[in-house]
Short mmCIF file of all heavy atoms in Angstrom, two decimals:
data_model
loop_
_atom_site.label_atom_id
_atom_site.label_comp_id
_atom_site.label_asym_id
_atom_site.label_seq_id
_atom_site.Cartn_x
_atom_site.Cartn_y
_atom_site.Cartn_z
N GLY A 10 1.97 -4.60 -5.43
CA GLY A 10 1.07 -5.19 -6.41
C GLY A 10 0.14 -6.25 -5.84
O GLY A 10 -0.68 -6.82 -6.56
N LYS A 13 -3.09 -4.12 -2.04
CA LYS A 13 -3.32 -3.35 -0.80
C LYS A 13 -4.18 -2.12 -1.09
O LYS A 13 -5.17 -1.88 -0.41
CB LYS A 13 -1.97 -2.88 -0.18
CG LYS A 13 -1.03 -4.01 0.16
CD LYS A 13 0.25 -3.51 0.81
CE LYS A 13 1.10 -2.63 -0.08
NZ LYS A 13 1.65 -3.32 -1.27
N GLY A 14 -3.80 -1.37 -2.12
CA GLY A 14 -4.55 -0.15 -2.44
C GLY A 14 -5.96 -0.48 -2.90
O GLY A 14 -6.93 0.15 -2.47
N THR A 15 -6.08 -1.49 -3.77
CA THR A 15 -7.39 -1.90 -4.30
C THR A 15 -8.34 -2.23 -3.15
O THR A 15 -9.49 -1.81 -3.12
CB THR A 15 -7.21 -3.15 -5.20
OG1 THR A 15 -6.33 -2.80 -6.27
CG2 THR A 15 -8.53 -3.65 -5.75
N THR A 31 1.14 5.69 2.28
CA THR A 31 2.39 6.47 2.28
C THR A 31 2.89 6.66 0.84
O THR A 31 3.45 7.69 0.52
CB THR A 31 3.47 5.80 3.16
OG1 THR A 31 3.42 4.38 2.98
CG2 THR A 31 3.30 6.14 4.61
N ARG A 36 4.00 10.37 -3.52
CA ARG A 36 3.86 10.75 -4.94
C ARG A 36 3.27 12.16 -5.07
O ARG A 36 3.66 12.93 -5.93
CB ARG A 36 2.98 9.73 -5.70
CG ARG A 36 3.76 8.49 -6.13
CD ARG A 36 2.91 7.54 -6.96
NE ARG A 36 1.89 6.90 -6.18
CZ ARG A 36 2.08 5.82 -5.41
NH1 ARG A 36 3.26 5.28 -5.34
NH2 ARG A 36 1.09 5.29 -4.73
N GLU A 57 13.67 1.75 -4.12
CA GLU A 57 14.15 1.58 -2.73
C GLU A 57 13.18 2.23 -1.75
O GLU A 57 12.35 3.04 -2.14
CB GLU A 57 15.53 2.25 -2.58
CG GLU A 57 16.60 1.54 -3.38
CD GLU A 57 17.90 2.33 -3.41
OE1 GLU A 57 18.00 3.39 -2.76
OE2 GLU A 57 18.81 1.86 -4.12
N GLY A 85 0.65 0.37 3.13
CA GLY A 85 2.07 0.54 2.76
C GLY A 85 2.94 1.05 3.88
O GLY A 85 4.09 1.42 3.65
N ARG A 88 6.85 -0.59 6.82
CA ARG A 88 7.53 -1.41 5.81
C ARG A 88 8.86 -1.93 6.30
O ARG A 88 9.56 -2.62 5.57
CB ARG A 88 7.80 -0.54 4.59
CG ARG A 88 6.90 -0.83 3.42
CD ARG A 88 7.20 0.22 2.40
NE ARG A 88 6.95 -0.21 1.08
CZ ARG A 88 5.86 0.13 0.40
NH1 ARG A 88 4.92 0.84 0.97
NH2 ARG A 88 5.74 -0.25 -0.83
N GLN A 92 10.12 0.87 11.47
CA GLN A 92 8.89 1.66 11.33
C GLN A 92 7.78 1.09 12.23
O GLN A 92 7.01 1.83 12.84
CB GLN A 92 8.40 1.67 9.88
CG GLN A 92 9.27 2.46 8.92
CD GLN A 92 8.79 2.42 7.47
OE1 GLN A 92 7.64 2.09 7.19
NE2 GLN A 92 9.67 2.77 6.55
N ARG A 122 -0.49 -2.62 -14.60
CA ARG A 122 -1.31 -1.66 -13.83
C ARG A 122 -1.34 -0.29 -14.51
O ARG A 122 -0.35 0.19 -15.02
CB ARG A 122 -0.73 -1.49 -12.42
CG ARG A 122 -1.43 -0.36 -11.66
CD ARG A 122 -1.13 -0.31 -10.21
NE ARG A 122 0.28 -0.21 -9.91
CZ ARG A 122 0.78 -0.28 -8.69
NH1 ARG A 122 -0.02 -0.48 -7.67
NH2 ARG A 122 2.07 -0.17 -8.49
N SER A 132 -6.43 0.36 -12.14
CA SER A 132 -6.99 -0.75 -12.90
C SER A 132 -5.85 -1.53 -13.56
O SER A 132 -4.68 -1.32 -13.24
CB SER A 132 -7.99 -0.23 -13.93
OG SER A 132 -8.76 -1.31 -14.42
N ARG A 163 11.90 -3.48 -6.38
CA ARG A 163 10.90 -3.34 -5.30
C ARG A 163 10.61 -4.69 -4.65
O ARG A 163 10.43 -4.77 -3.44
CB ARG A 163 9.61 -2.74 -5.87
CG ARG A 163 9.74 -1.26 -6.18
CD ARG A 163 8.64 -0.78 -7.11
NE ARG A 163 7.33 -0.81 -6.52
CZ ARG A 163 6.20 -0.78 -7.22
NH1 ARG A 163 6.24 -0.74 -8.54
NH2 ARG A 163 5.05 -0.79 -6.61
N GLN A 191 -7.23 -14.40 -5.30
CA GLN A 191 -8.67 -14.57 -5.53
C GLN A 191 -9.23 -13.29 -6.16
O GLN A 191 -8.60 -12.24 -6.08
CB GLN A 191 -9.39 -14.81 -4.20
CG GLN A 191 -8.80 -15.98 -3.41
CD GLN A 191 -9.44 -16.06 -2.03
OE1 GLN A 191 -10.34 -16.84 -1.83
NE2 GLN A 191 -9.00 -15.23 -1.10
P1 LIG B 1 3.44 2.18 -2.71
O1 LIG B 1 2.67 3.13 -3.52
O2 LIG B 1 2.96 1.85 -1.34
O3 LIG B 1 3.66 0.88 -3.58
P2 LIG B 1 3.66 -0.67 -3.18
O4 LIG B 1 3.62 -1.11 -1.80
O5 LIG B 1 4.81 -1.12 -3.96
O6 LIG B 1 2.26 -1.09 -3.55
P3 LIG B 1 1.56 -0.88 -4.86
O7 LIG B 1 0.80 0.41 -4.84
O8 LIG B 1 2.51 -1.06 -6.01
O9 LIG B 1 0.61 -2.16 -4.91
P4 LIG B 1 -0.72 -2.52 -4.15
O10 LIG B 1 -0.45 -3.66 -3.23
O11 LIG B 1 -1.39 -1.30 -3.58
O12 LIG B 1 -1.54 -3.10 -5.37
P5 LIG B 1 -2.77 -2.47 -6.21
O13 LIG B 1 -4.01 -2.49 -5.39
O14 LIG B 1 -2.38 -1.18 -6.84
O15 LIG B 1 4.96 2.67 -2.54
C1 LIG B 1 5.70 3.18 -3.64
C2 LIG B 1 7.09 3.57 -3.17
O16 LIG B 1 6.99 4.60 -2.14
C3 LIG B 1 7.90 2.45 -2.50
O17 LIG B 1 8.59 1.66 -3.44
C4 LIG B 1 8.85 3.26 -1.62
O18 LIG B 1 9.90 3.81 -2.36
C5 LIG B 1 7.97 4.42 -1.13
N1 LIG B 1 7.29 4.09 0.15
C6 LIG B 1 5.95 3.96 0.35
N2 LIG B 1 5.71 3.65 1.63
C7 LIG B 1 6.90 3.59 2.25
C8 LIG B 1 7.30 3.29 3.58
N3 LIG B 1 6.40 2.97 4.53
N4 LIG B 1 8.62 3.29 3.86
C9 LIG B 1 9.54 3.62 2.93
N5 LIG B 1 9.24 3.90 1.65
C10 LIG B 1 7.93 3.89 1.31
O19 LIG B 1 -2.93 -3.60 -7.34
C11 LIG B 1 -1.90 -3.83 -8.31
C12 LIG B 1 -2.52 -4.29 -9.66
O20 LIG B 1 -3.17 -5.55 -9.46
C13 LIG B 1 -3.61 -3.33 -10.20
O21 LIG B 1 -3.52 -3.30 -11.59
C14 LIG B 1 -4.93 -3.97 -9.73
O22 LIG B 1 -6.00 -3.64 -10.59
C15 LIG B 1 -4.57 -5.46 -9.78
N6 LIG B 1 -5.27 -6.25 -8.75
C16 LIG B 1 -5.48 -5.92 -7.44
N7 LIG B 1 -6.14 -6.91 -6.80
C17 LIG B 1 -6.33 -7.91 -7.72
C18 LIG B 1 -6.94 -9.21 -7.66
N8 LIG B 1 -7.50 -9.69 -6.52
N9 LIG B 1 -6.94 -9.96 -8.79
C19 LIG B 1 -6.38 -9.49 -9.95
N10 LIG B 1 -5.81 -8.26 -10.07
C20 LIG B 1 -5.77 -7.49 -8.97
#
Side-chain angles (χ1 to χ4, degrees):
K13 301 182 296 296
T15 300
T31 40
R36 278 184 290 278
E57 292 171 4
R88 254 173 152 101
Q92 290 178 18
R122 172 168 57 186
S132 194
R163 286 163 67 199
Q191 306 173 99

